[in-house]
Amino acid sequence: KQQVANSMMENNAFRQTLKKHVYYNTHENDVTGRMESTFNMLLEIEKLWDRFKKAENKAQFKGLSFAEHVADAQLQGFINDQEAEKLLHYNARRYDSMLTDVFDLHLNEVLELENPYLIKEDAKGTDTSVQTDPSHSVSP
């Protein structure tokens, strides 16, 4: 099972053959396209992501959240501004691709999904969010 799962997480002939038998698209805002578009994004930044996560796992960066680790990595010169932006953007998309529908207690209404990693803009175009680790956020 693990070998099959690992093969599906690589862009190879096995994965391409499986994709011929299922409906999917690559539109990031479509429920069926979120996973595939995020996977394609990972393929583009995989070396950067792996290098960053390896250093992060060795506790090389200060901070409690992913965004704080990225900011510290920038200060240390481990990554540049463009790489930081790619990491933050991918992390938000990665988290979003794993979200599932949320319902009220009676299962009558679908509630809006919350992704604490997404940067939200107010009506003036000003960033009003702080990218935080969801395990550190406070929810009612």
Side-chain angles (χ1 to χ4, degrees), residues 72-137:
D72 190 55
Q74 281 180 277
L75 287 174
Q76 293 181 30
F78 186 82
I79 57 173
N80 62 37
D81 293 347
Q82 184 181 16
E83 291 171 325
E85 184 62 34
K86 286 179 182 181
L87 288 169
L88 291 171
H89 183 66
Y90 171 71
N91 192 56
R93 291 269 305 276
R94 180 187 67 84
Y95 186 84
D96 188 66
S97 72
M98 293 184 281
L99 291 175
T100 58
D101 289 338
V102 180
F103 296 92
D104 67 354
L105 292 175
H106 302 289
L107 303 176
N108 293 327
E109 294 182 40
V110 177
L111 305 176
E112 187 173 335
L113 299 174
E114 291 186 28
N115 182 344
Y117 294 110
L118 289 179
I119 296 175
K120 298 174 188 169
E121 294 183 358
D122 64 15
K124 299 174 190 169
T126 307
D127 180 6
T128 61
S129 65
V130 177
Q131 289 199 351
T132 60
D133 188 320
S135 64
H136 299 292
S137 63

Side-chain angles (χ1 to χ4, degrees), residues 53-70:
K53 293 304 284 181
K54 187 179 219 179
E56 186 182 43
N57 288 335
K58 291 180 180 178
Q60 289 184 335
F61 311 125
K62 295 176 185 172
L64 298 176
S65 70
F66 183 81
E68 290 172 344
H69 289 171
V70 170

